[in-house]
Amino acid sequence: MNIMNLTSTKWTKKVLLGLSIALGTGTGAYIFSPLPVQAASVSAEESAAVYNQFEKYLKNPASLTHARNYLINHIDEAGIWRGTVMTLHLENAQRAYLNSISEKIYPEKIQKAIDSAFRQVSYNRSKLTYTFLLSVIKDPSIRSVLIELRDKGYKIETSEGMYYPVMHYEGFKVFKPYIQKDIAVYIDLMAKESNSPSLFDAAIVISWDELISRILEMEAFIQKYPNSNRMMSIKNNMYPGYLFHGSSNTPAYGYDKPTKIDLDLRKAYDTALVEGTKNSDILKIIDGLVKLLDKTNNVLTAEVEKYIQDQLKPYGYVY
């Protein structure tokens, strides 16, 4: 039996790209590419033509869907440099259009329809997908809004009873084989947060261990790619203050006197110090804090508070 060499044809790559993005935007599932795909060598003329057509679509917010679909189907014809630029431009466009498209989902009629559907699955956040919502909501005007959000590359989130679109970075993973390494890593970091937000209704909703892990990954990105186009974006998303003060609804220290650190957070500190690397400034701060907490029996004293404040100043964090 003859078996086609699927990895050798540009046609097959486009099929895999289309399948991957359909899975990602249709169901909210992780994007999965069945076969490894590498960027093909392209001519300067071919690369420029793809880039110019993409940018033409991107100039008009109404054509954002076309721009995104075009990039999905043609990024393998653009080369690494232009593929990277176009991926970043698509992210810029989606972020810029986010406020405008949010207005389309805020009307009470749409909010109630989404909530009614979501209630059918007992507000299970894993079910808040376009596939589920479109299977339940039949009103054509509401469906058209949901389809537009989906096709422009956003996902739906909820907080405090409201439903709203957010960036869907999982959908950007389809571009990773065709872009520079730092931006591929950036996409992974942003997807981890958009898939499972660390904060929800002012509460930290991932474990302390996971929170530390994410912050250390961001720190490693900044150290490894100091000249990356998205270095500042990662830096602005790092929020090391959560590691030392917690959030409004998940404080790092209790309210009873004496004010002691959350025991799970203290355990997470100890684990991170054992498993972490020596070149992490965040771990150095944790190490100094742990030594102070050992002296105070894990109580938040004025000395501990001053240490935290002093260490976080370089990160622009003021508590």
Side-chain angles (χ1 to χ4, degrees):
M1 179 174 64
N2 288 327
I3 300 176
M4 184 191 302
N5 182 0
L6 295 178
T7 60
S8 67
T9 65
K10 185 178 294 184
W11 176 85
T12 302
K13 288 191 291 182
K14 284 188 170 68
V15 170
L16 294 178
L17 284 171
L19 174 62
S20 296
I21 201 68
L23 288 171
T25 58
T27 67
Y30 288 106
I31 285 179
F32 164 72
S33 183
L35 296 172
V37 184
Q38 298 296 325
S41 59
V42 295
S43 69
E45 292 79 8
E46 187 179 28
S47 173
V50 169
Y51 177 81
N52 291 334
Q53 181 60 61
F54 171 78
E55 293 295 324
K56 186 181 296 184
Y57 283 135
L58 207 60
K59 285 180 181 179
N60 182 4
S63 299
L64 184 56
T65 296
H66 294 302
R68 180 169 170 269
N69 288 337
Y70 184 82
L71 187 59
I72 290 168
N73 289 311
H74 296 279
I75 190 170
D76 61 322
E77 303 166 22
I80 294 292
W81 184 80
R82 282 198 171 102
T84 301
V85 172
M86 290 189 294
T87 299
L88 295 177
H89 284 185
L90 177 63
E91 182 198 19
N92 290 342
Q94 286 185 344
R95 292 175 71 90
Y97 192 57
L98 186 56
N99 287 339
S100 295
I101 202 165
S102 295
E103 295 298 326
K104 296 188 177 185
I105 200 175
Y106 288 155
E108 185 177 2
K109 177 183 176 182
I110 298 179
Q111 291 285 314
K112 284 185 174 181
I114 296 174
D115 188 70
S116 177
F118 198 29
R119 192 184 308 125
Q120 293 184 27
V121 288
S122 302
Y123 298 106
N124 180 348
R125 293 175 67 82
S126 68
K127 296 291 187 179
L128 191 58
T129 65
Y130 293 111
T131 298
F132 170 71
L133 293 176
L134 291 170
S135 73
V136 174
I137 297 172
K138 303 304 180 184
D139 186 312
S141 64
I142 299 175
R143 289 175 61 86
S144 67
V145 171
L146 294 176
I147 291 170
E148 181 182 3
L149 287 168
R150 179 197 67 190
D151 292 350
K152 281 185 164 61
Y154 301 100
K155 63 179 288 190
I156 295 179
E157 263 296 350
T158 181
S159 178
E160 299 181 349
M162 286 290 294
Y163 299 91
Y164 50 88
V166 297
M167 294 290 292
H168 181 42
Y169 282 99
E170 189 71 23
F172 278 82
K173 287 188 177 182
V174 72
F175 305 128
K176 285 175 55 182
Y178 308 99
I179 60 179
Q180 292 170 354
K181 177 64 175 177
D182 63 311
I183 303 304
V185 175
Y186 164 77
I187 288 170
D188 281 339
L189 293 175
M190 298 300 284
K192 187 173 291 188
E193 182 64 23
S194 68
N195 289 336
S196 177
S198 55
L199 213 66
F200 179 72
D201 287 346
I204 296 173
V205 292
I206 57 176
S207 70
W208 290 114
D209 293 290
E210 175 63 17
L211 182 64
I212 293 174
S213 175
R214 290 189 189 186
I215 290 177
L216 292 180
E217 286 176 341
M218 291 181 185
E219 180 190 36
F221 178 93
I222 293 168
Q223 291 175 342
K224 187 172 183 178
Y225 305 110
N227 298 316
S228 172
N229 186 277
R230 288 301 190 257
M231 189 276 287
M232 285 306 300
S233 180
I234 289 295
K235 193 172 183 179
N236 291 335
N237 279 279
M238 208 166 121
Y239 299 126
Y242 288 142
L243 283 186
F244 304 103
H245 285 117
S247 66
S248 298
N249 292 330
T250 311
Y253 296 85
Y255 298 109
D256 296 332
K257 300 295 183 180
T259 308
K260 285 195 169 186
I261 191 171
D262 181 284
L263 290 181
D264 288 333
L265 176 56
R266 175 58 204 260
K267 290 177 184 176
Y269 284 165
D270 294 334
T271 299
L273 290 174
V274 171
E275 298 178 352
T277 58
K278 294 181 179 179
N279 64 338
S280 167
D281 291 331
I282 293 294
L283 287 179
K284 289 174 184 176
I285 296 174
I286 291 176
D287 184 52
L289 177 58
V290 163
K291 289 174 180 175
L292 280 177
L293 290 171
D294 284 341
K295 294 178 182 178
T296 68
N297 194 27
N298 288 321
V299 172
L300 179 65
T301 63
E303 182 184 11
V304 171
E305 181 59 51
K306 184 178 186 306
Y307 174 83
I308 294 173
Q309 296 286 0
D310 290 344
Q311 297 303 313
L312 289 179
K313 281 179 182 176
Y315 295 93
Y317 186 90
V318 181
Y319 182 74

